[in-house]
Amino acid sequence: MIEGFTALYIFMLAAFTGYEVISRVPVILHTPLMSGSYFVHGIVLVGAMIALGHAEGTLELAIGFFAVVLAAGNAVGGYVATVRMLEMFKSSKEGK
Amino acid sequence: MMSLAVDITYFLTAFIFIYGLKQMSSPVTARGGIVIAGIAMLAATLITFGVPQIHLELNINMVLMLAAIAAGSAVAYISAKRVEMTNMPQMIAMYNGMGGGAAAAIAAVELVKLASGGASHGMVIQVLAVLGAVIGAVSFSGSLVAFAKLQGLMRKTLHLPLHQFVNLGLFAAVCVTGYWVATAHPVDPDHLLWFFAIAVVLGVLVTLPIGGADMPVVISLFNALTGLAVAFEGFVLNNAAMIIAGTVVGSSGTLLTQLMAKAMNRSLANVLFSGFGSAGGAAVAEDIEGSMKEIQAQDAAIMMAYAENVIIVPGYGMAVAQAQHKLKEMEDLLEERGVNVKYAIHPVAGRMPGHMNVLLAEAGVEYDKIYDLEEINPSFPQADVALVIGANDVVNPVARTNPDSPIYGMPILDADKAQNVIVIKRGQGAGFSGIENHLFYADNTRMFYGDGQKAVGELIAGIKQLQG
């Protein structure tokens, strides 16, 4: 169980990490990076699965189903789009 | 035992996500970064079948779960594979909105449980669930509107009368209903319904008046918001992987949003709360010295073929005309003749920062020939020719010279400092901002009218003739 201040500490440290990791990225990678970070919040799939897993009754099941569909779309779509974009980046030193 | 395996997997997932994002900060390692992040995501998804809340038996929950994963993945996989690079930004916006919607739906499941008499996990958790719900719902509906706008399904920006006051009212309504939902136990189902309905409408109305050119900033903001919503729901579900990944995205997305807003020389508040041009947009009739001078394809081709340094400045017009492949072809021809060709990309060229780079990469342009603003600006005075294709406001020198101009202070590409400037442009109209571009009237500027792709095709033909 993550409680009170421990949770707050995790939140703070993760926030700084995100800020630092991105702050040195060249502009040319911004679009793939954005799409990559979209993919990362696809981790919401895990939460959606848990929500659907312990859902009871029609309404909860329906919303849970909706959550998992959306989350799976977020994760898979984000991944495929990012990889497609990154595959195109070539340097003049390689592959010519 | 199982729960230990779950914890270890989530821990490694969080670590690999951060490492993967770090890898993505260089073009050389970027691909490896996303691939290991993908593997981590897969592992986290699989191990989630082992958490206590999910019963590993073939009940209705499990059937629905497998069906939902299959359906969501299939649709997203096919759409992501098929979408054209020009349309990538809105597709990415869509995936982002889906994440926000999922976060909101998770909150909905938990809150519905509370409404039907489930045990409360304490006030703090309930408040976080509500916060995640409203942020996720706004990000969801807002991203859908952003998608519709960028896809061209919704051309006009829409203003309601007293739009900002309507938004303010809705925001207040979300706060009030959210407060009711967050503090009640059991939760009133009617309040819950109103709460979600108003949050979704708020997302739509916030996004509607924002113009297409500002959309990247908004999409990036929604990315940060979705991350935050995911983190909040992570607290609700007591899931560390969600908290860390969500927070990392939330903060990095905020930084990215700020960088973008700065590149456009506008504050975030300005983007969100005022349509461009409505604020002090009375076009000042000004006297411009000189006139627009036209150039023919053959002359332009000669100019470039005998140049030493050529800098190409592509803008959104290039993306619309799909001229990137032709540009690459021309670059190759010029390089055969010993011309040094570089590309200069303004941070907000295209529909998303870096979108131009993706399009040029698609055409096979090597990324080490593409320079951003700070790197390339000192090179313009040494360039014999600056070829501006489909760009306008980002090369307008009034941003440097005229303090009265709405774009004054915006960092621009100093194309006007090149020896000669060739502007490929469809017609004589002003740019997105509606401001006359003094570059077009400068003595060293020649205008080459035509569709981007066709115009570059003519240049290629012209250069080939010289060799023939």
Side-chain angles (χ1 to χ4, degrees):
Chain A
M1 187 73 195
I2 312 158
E3 282 177 70
F5 271 92
T6 315
L8 217 55
Y9 280 122
I10 295 179
F11 189 70
M12 176 197 73
L13 292 173
F16 274 106
T17 308
Y19 203 87
E20 283 302 312
V21 164
I22 297 291
S23 60
R24 293 187 199 94
V25 174
V27 181
I28 75 156
L29 281 176
H30 273 183
T31 289
L33 186 80
M34 232 156 110
S35 140
S37 71
Y38 287 11
F39 163 70
V40 165
H41 65 53
I43 191 71
V44 73
L45 174 58
V46 167
M49 287 168 66
I50 295 173
L52 176 56
H54 69 174
E56 290 156 353
T58 318
L59 181 59
E60 287 176 30
L61 281 172
I63 303 173
F65 180 77
F66 182 62
V68 176
V69 170
L70 290 181
N74 178 182
V76 173
Y79 181 79
V80 176
T82 310
V83 168
R84 258 189 75 190
M85 280 192 271
L86 288 176
E87 267 173 354
M88 298 182 315
F89 282 88
K90 290 196 297 262
S91 152
S92 57
K93 289 163 200 88
E94 55 187 84
K96 263 205 125 175
Chain B
M1 193 56 212
M2 197 59 210
S3 79
L4 182 65
V6 171
D7 281 337
I8 291 174
T9 310
Y10 283 168
F11 175 78
L12 288 176
T13 303
F15 170 76
I16 292 175
F17 277 171
I18 294 169
Y19 178 72
L21 277 179
K22 180 87 205 147
Q23 293 286 91
M24 287 186 71
S25 59
S26 153
V28 185
T29 53
R31 196 161 178 274
I34 185 73
V35 170
I36 55 162
I39 295 169
M41 182 77 82
L42 189 64
T45 308
L46 290 177
I47 202 76
T48 301
F49 284 104
V51 302
Q53 290 99 323
I54 295 177
H55 308 288
L56 261 186
E57 57 193 64
L58 205 62
N59 55 12
I60 177 76
N61 301 50
M62 184 59 74
V63 172
L64 281 178
M65 194 179 309
L66 295 175
I69 293 176
S73 306
V75 170
Y77 182 83
I78 294 168
S79 63
K81 276 281 180 202
R82 286 203 181 151
V83 64
E84 282 181 31
M85 281 301 152
T86 323
N87 296 330
M88 202 49 118
Q90 54 264 44
M91 221 46 230
I92 298 175
M94 178 71 112
Y95 301 137
N96 174 52
M98 291 169 93
I106 293 171
V109 172
E110 301 306 315
L111 292 169
V112 168
K113 272 193 189 306
L114 290 178
S116 51
S120 174
H121 302 291
M123 181 79 89
V124 176
I125 293 296
Q126 214 164 322
V127 170
L128 285 173
V130 165
L131 280 176
V134 64
I135 296 172
V138 167
S139 169
F140 173 64
S141 58
S143 294
L144 289 186
V145 173
F147 172 83
K149 283 200 162 190
L150 289 179
Q151 187 72 22
L153 300 175
M154 202 188 284
R155 281 246 169 262
K156 285 204 291 193
T157 55
L158 190 91
H159 284 276
L160 297 180
L162 298 172
H163 199 109
Q164 298 311 339
F165 290 98
V166 174
N167 282 357
L168 205 65
L170 282 173
F171 182 72
V174 161
C175 289
V176 171
T177 49
Y179 175 78
W180 287 341
V181 172
T183 52
H185 188 263
V187 173
D188 185 333
D190 283 343
H191 289 169
L192 193 55
L193 190 65
W194 276 111
F195 166 66
F196 274 104
I198 297 171
V200 168
V201 173
L202 180 63
V204 173
L205 286 186
V206 164
T207 322
L208 271 182
I210 297 171
D214 285 340
M215 231 14 125
V217 182
V218 179
I219 295 177
S220 174
L221 180 69
F222 285 143
N223 173 36
L225 288 179
T226 301
L228 206 58
V230 170
F232 285 155
E233 299 315 321
F235 283 113
V236 174
L237 296 174
N238 195 25
N239 187 306
M242 279 172 75
I243 298 175
I244 295 173
T247 311
V248 166
V249 173
S251 69
S252 59
T254 307
L255 175 65
L256 220 48
T257 312
Q258 283 171 346
L259 288 179
M260 262 182 245
K262 218 170 91 191
M264 300 173 77
N265 193 33
R266 308 181 49 199
S267 72
L268 192 54
N270 187 267
V271 170
L272 287 178
F273 300 118
S274 70
F276 197 84
S278 59
V284 195
E286 39 189 351
D287 295 325
I288 302 168
E289 284 173 38
S291 58
M292 292 200 196
K293 294 163 283 291
E294 215 180 320
I295 192 171
Q296 298 305 318
Q298 193 55 45
D299 299 328
I302 291 172
M303 220 181 210
M304 285 198 292
Y306 291 101
E308 227 172 286
N309 293 302
V310 172
I311 298 177
I312 300 175
V313 183
Y316 182 52
M318 182 209 78
V320 174
Q322 291 280 337
Q324 63 267 32
H325 297 277
K326 287 280 178 198
L327 267 184
K328 169 69 182 161
E329 202 183 326
M330 188 181 77
E331 179 210 310
D332 289 341
L333 274 175
L334 288 173
E335 277 168 352
E336 269 173 39
R337 300 182 58 95
V339 182
N340 180 10
V341 182
K342 289 176 181 171
Y343 293 83
I345 311 256
H346 190 272
V348 293
R351 280 174 167 172
M352 211 183 238
H355 186 205
M356 281 297 144
N357 306 80
V358 172
L359 292 174
L360 290 175
E362 184 195 15
V365 175
E366 291 95 357
Y367 61 74
D368 38 14
K369 289 200 183 120
I370 303 176
Y371 296 84
D372 56 20
L373 190 105
E374 289 89 13
E375 296 172 320
I376 197 78
N377 265 349
S379 317
F380 274 109
Q382 283 96 50
D384 304 294
V385 179
L387 177 71
V388 177
I389 169 165
N392 192 339
D393 292 330
V394 298
V395 290
N396 193 344
V398 296
R400 280 198 316 261
T401 55
N402 182 359
D404 297 329
S405 170
I407 59 168
Y408 180 71
M410 180 172 95
I412 59 156
L413 290 164
D414 297 332
D416 56 317
K417 293 193 177 153
Q419 306 298 321
N420 297 287
V421 183
I422 301 172
V423 179
I424 298 180
K425 201 169 172 305
R426 200 171 273 208
Q428 300 198 342
F432 158 75
S433 63
I435 306 160
E436 280 289 355
N437 194 334
H438 288 227
L439 174 69
F440 300 165
Y441 297 91
D443 287 337
N444 58 344
T445 303
R446 296 290 177 274
M447 306 298 291
F448 181 11
Y449 296 111
D451 168 77
Q453 191 172 339
K454 229 180 104 231
V456 180
E458 287 171 26
L459 289 178
I460 292 172
I463 298 167
K464 276 186 179 156
Q465 256 179 31
L466 294 174
Q467 284 161 329

